[in-house]
């Protein structure tokens, strides 16, 4: 059965599915954090720390009561684990068995690792951890030369290889550095460790993606997963034939969705609330999808030479009124408790600029606290005339 949605309807469905902006959540704050991870399926980890790191930022945007200690507690309680989604991520422990296809492919050589396999080093590293307990990369001496684009000492490469193929897990980090231990010592009792059959795995990927994103295409569901797209496509077609899924036409593009997801269209969206997003937020991580559905052409420019940057080093997408309407280049100068807004750039189609500035002012209160800052330095805005009014509100906020 085929349905059609307008772009505004599709955007609303996506935002409701992504739980943005967040609604009031009963229960403890830690339970709300676990609920966000379970619903989204993964939270991407990133090393950039010019503001709060991406995993904290994404969770805070789903749970206003979020604190970094909650994620640490969930790791300690073995309710989430660190592995790989399309990138390094925190995942629900209940989904552990669905990390096994990638691990199995790496262990058997069906999929190549970015490091060359060194059997003697793998054995040495594994044996030391088995004997001595959890270790970090710094606990191994540099016994060889660094080489290639992925330069790392041989023991570090072996640790990552053993982690990716499932022999080791990361129970926690110390100052953001991974601590490795044997998988059997980290996994909680009763976790299903059977390798899912390919069809089961494809169904999991489809269900997880559509639950968190409302609607999706085979390429999006298979994002950065090697060799899985044909099976995902075939499984989607089978689920449509059985009535489990609908085909949805949006702006001449075909998507898939669960019938029950369309009920979200009847629920109100908190359009007046503004959210400052991470560049690695689940909503924005697939840039082509973002452009197709939201008309937002987004590039994170920290990987772009400075002379070629248009918006700034670490521009944060801004969600308001059900659309992505601006981007804000920020840096938290933590010792001075100062948040720099180097460049706030509004999209040309933003019409209600005063309403936008008011909504941004309200969110900046929480964003300051989240980044452990109490002052803001506003450097530049586009258009330039926005700066005066926003600066006036910032002065009220920080004085």
């Amino acid at each position: 059965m085929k349905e059609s949605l307008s772009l505004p309807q599709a955007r609303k469905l996506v935002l409701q599915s992504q739980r943005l902006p967040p609604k009031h959540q009963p229960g403890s704050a830690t339970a709300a954090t676990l609920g966000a991870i379970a619903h989204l399926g993964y939270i991407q980890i990133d090393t950039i720390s010019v503001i709060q790191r991406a995993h904290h930022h994404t969770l805070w945007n789903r749970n206003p009561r979020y604190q970094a200690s909650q994620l640490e507690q969930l790791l300690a309680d073995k309710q989430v684990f660190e592995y790989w989604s399309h990138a390094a991520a925190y995942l629900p422990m209940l989904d552990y068995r669905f990390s096994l296809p990638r691990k199995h492919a790496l262990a058997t050589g069906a999929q190549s690792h970015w490091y060359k396999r060194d059997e003697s080093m793998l054995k040495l590293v594994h044996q030391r951890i088995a004997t001595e307990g959890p270790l970090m990369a710094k606990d191994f001496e540099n016994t060889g030369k660094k080489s290639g684009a992925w330069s790392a000492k041989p023991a570090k490469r072996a640790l990552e290889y053993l982690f990716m193929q499932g022999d080791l897990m990361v129970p926690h980090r110390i100052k953001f550095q991974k601590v490795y231990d044997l998988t059997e010592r980290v996994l909680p009792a009763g976790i299903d460790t059977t390798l899912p059959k390919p069809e089961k795995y494809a169904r999991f990927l489809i269900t997880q993606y559509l639950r968190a994103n409302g609607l999706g295409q085979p390429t999006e569901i298979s994002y950065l997963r090697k060799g899985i797209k044909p099976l995902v496509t075939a499984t989607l077609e089978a689920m449509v034939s059985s009535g489990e899924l609908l085909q949805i036409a949006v702006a001449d593009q075909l998507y898939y969705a669960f019938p029950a997801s369309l009920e979200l269209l009847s629920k109100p969206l908190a359009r007046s609330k503004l959210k400052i997003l991470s560049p690695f937020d689940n909503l924005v991580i697939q840039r082509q999808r973002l452009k197709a559905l939201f008309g937002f052409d987004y590039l994170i420019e920290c990987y772009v030479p400075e002379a070629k940057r248009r918006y700034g080093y670490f521009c944060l997408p801004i969600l308001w009124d059900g659309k992505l309407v601006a981007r804000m280049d920020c840096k938290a100068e933590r010792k001075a408790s100062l948040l720099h807004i180097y460049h706030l750039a509004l999209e040309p189609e933003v019409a209600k600029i005063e309403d936008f500035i008011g909504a941004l002012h309200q969110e900046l209160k929480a964003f300051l606290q989240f980044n452990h800052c109490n002052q803001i330095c506003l450097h530049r805005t586009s258009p330039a005339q926005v700066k005066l009014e926003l600066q006036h509100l910032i002065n009220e906020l920080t004085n």
Side-chain angles (χ1 to χ4, degrees):
M1 182 179 179
K2 187 180 289 186
E3 301 273 349
S4 64
L5 294 176
S6 67
L7 273 171
Q9 286 177 315
R11 288 193 287 265
K12 181 178 181 181
L13 176 57
V14 170
L15 293 174
Q16 293 280 35
S17 299
Q18 278 283 306
R19 298 183 176 176
L20 285 171
K23 296 180 173 64
H24 173 72
Q25 299 153 339
S28 72
T30 301
T33 295
L34 179 59
I37 299 170
H39 176 75
L40 294 174
Y42 77 92
I43 299 293
Q44 183 170 339
I45 303 169
D46 194 73
T47 59
I48 298 173
S49 59
V50 292
I51 61 165
Q52 283 276 25
R53 286 191 170 100
H55 41 288
H56 298 310
H57 192 171
T58 299
L59 286 169
W60 176 75
N61 270 326
R62 302 316 191 282
N63 174 19
R65 295 178 290 161
Y66 175 77
Q67 299 287 334
S69 59
Q70 296 163 14
L71 183 56
E72 294 167 4
Q73 188 62 52
L74 291 171
L75 283 162
D77 293 343
K78 301 183 178 181
Q79 296 192 71
V80 300
F81 72 104
E82 181 175 334
Y83 189 58
W84 204 261
S85 176
H86 69 275
Y90 291 114
L91 306 158
M93 187 64 80
L94 291 177
D95 292 342
Y96 175 80
R97 70 180 296 225
F98 295 103
S99 71
L100 297 177
R102 185 190 295 268
K103 292 172 179 175
H104 181 73
L106 287 166
T108 60
Q111 183 174 326
S112 60
H113 195 280
W114 47 80
Y115 295 139
K116 184 178 179 181
R117 191 177 185 91
D118 183 340
E119 292 291 353
S120 61
M121 185 57 69
L122 292 177
K123 185 176 180 181
L124 183 153
V125 168
H126 190 277
Q127 183 57 49
R128 273 199 61 187
I129 292 176
T131 303
E132 300 175 34
L135 295 173
M136 302 168 68
K138 69 180 183 66
D139 296 317
F140 294 84
E141 293 184 71
N142 190 347
T143 57
K145 293 181 180 179
K146 297 180 180 180
S147 62
W150 292 92
S151 296
K153 60 185 181 181
K156 168 65 173 174
R157 294 197 293 266
L159 285 165
E160 282 298 294
Y161 212 118
L162 291 165
F163 168 71
M164 288 301 295
Q165 72 178 23
D167 297 294
L168 300 180
M169 291 183 73
V170 176
H172 61 279
R173 292 182 178 225
I174 298 176
K175 295 182 178 178
F176 207 62
Q177 300 302 306
K178 292 178 181 176
V179 176
Y180 298 87
D181 199 1
L182 300 184
T183 293
E184 56 264 34
R185 294 201 293 232
V186 177
L187 275 181
I191 288 294
D192 190 347
T193 58
T194 57
L195 181 68
K197 293 181 179 179
E199 294 79 7
K200 181 80 171 177
Y201 181 52
R203 277 182 166 266
F204 167 78
L205 294 177
I206 290 166
T207 300
Q208 180 194 67
Y209 188 88
L210 295 183
R211 177 188 66 216
N213 294 281
L215 45 79
Q217 298 176 321
T219 300
E220 296 165 351
I221 297 166
S222 310
Y223 182 60
L224 297 184
R225 289 182 168 89
K226 293 181 180 179
I228 194 69
K229 183 180 174 183
L231 181 57
V232 165
T233 301
T235 306
L236 284 166
E237 292 171 356
M239 293 174 76
V240 169
S241 296
S242 68
E244 295 172 81
L245 292 180
L246 297 173
Q247 289 182 317
I248 308 283
V250 180
D252 299 323
Q253 291 288 313
L254 190 63
Y255 294 84
Y256 296 84
F258 285 107
S261 296
L262 298 185
E263 296 173 9
L264 293 171
L265 293 173
S266 65
K267 297 183 178 181
L269 184 68
R271 295 182 179 276
S272 63
K273 290 184 180 179
L274 181 146
K275 297 305 295 182
I276 301 164
L277 304 178
S278 166
F280 303 99
D281 192 281
N282 299 52
L283 176 68
V284 303
I285 196 61
Q286 294 196 35
R287 313 305 192 205
Q288 289 301 115
R289 172 183 169 90
L290 195 68
K291 188 175 180 180
L293 291 174
F294 286 83
F296 193 70
D297 192 2
Y298 178 65
L299 173 70
I300 180 171
E301 295 182 337
C302 57
Y303 306 118
V304 175
E306 185 173 358
K308 294 184 178 180
R309 290 175 192 153
R310 181 179 177 188
Y311 298 106
Y313 177 83
F314 203 63
C315 277
L316 312 177
I318 295 181
L319 174 71
W320 176 67
D321 193 28
K323 299 182 286 289
L324 288 157
V325 297
R327 55 200 96 198
M328 187 169 71
D329 182 33
C330 294
K331 181 179 180 180
E333 190 180 338
R334 294 178 177 87
K335 288 184 179 179
S337 298
L338 177 64
L339 179 71
H340 291 275
I341 301 177
Y342 290 118
H343 187 194
L344 170 68
L346 279 64
E347 293 292 283
E349 59 270 21
V350 178
K352 300 177 181 178
I353 292 180
E354 287 189 9
D355 291 343
F356 166 78
I357 292 172
L360 177 60
H361 166 245
Q362 289 297 317
E363 185 63 9
L364 280 173
K365 293 179 184 179
F367 194 68
L368 265 180
Q369 185 176 10
F370 173 62
N371 282 284
H372 307 295
C373 294
N374 54 35
Q375 296 291 320
I376 295 175
C377 182
L378 178 61
H379 295 254
R380 175 188 170 207
T381 68
S382 299
Q385 58 266 33
V386 169
K387 184 176 180 181
L388 186 62
E389 185 173 349
L390 181 57
Q391 185 65 65
H392 174 70
L393 292 175
I394 286 173
N395 291 343
E396 291 182 354
L397 178 65
T398 57
N399 288 336

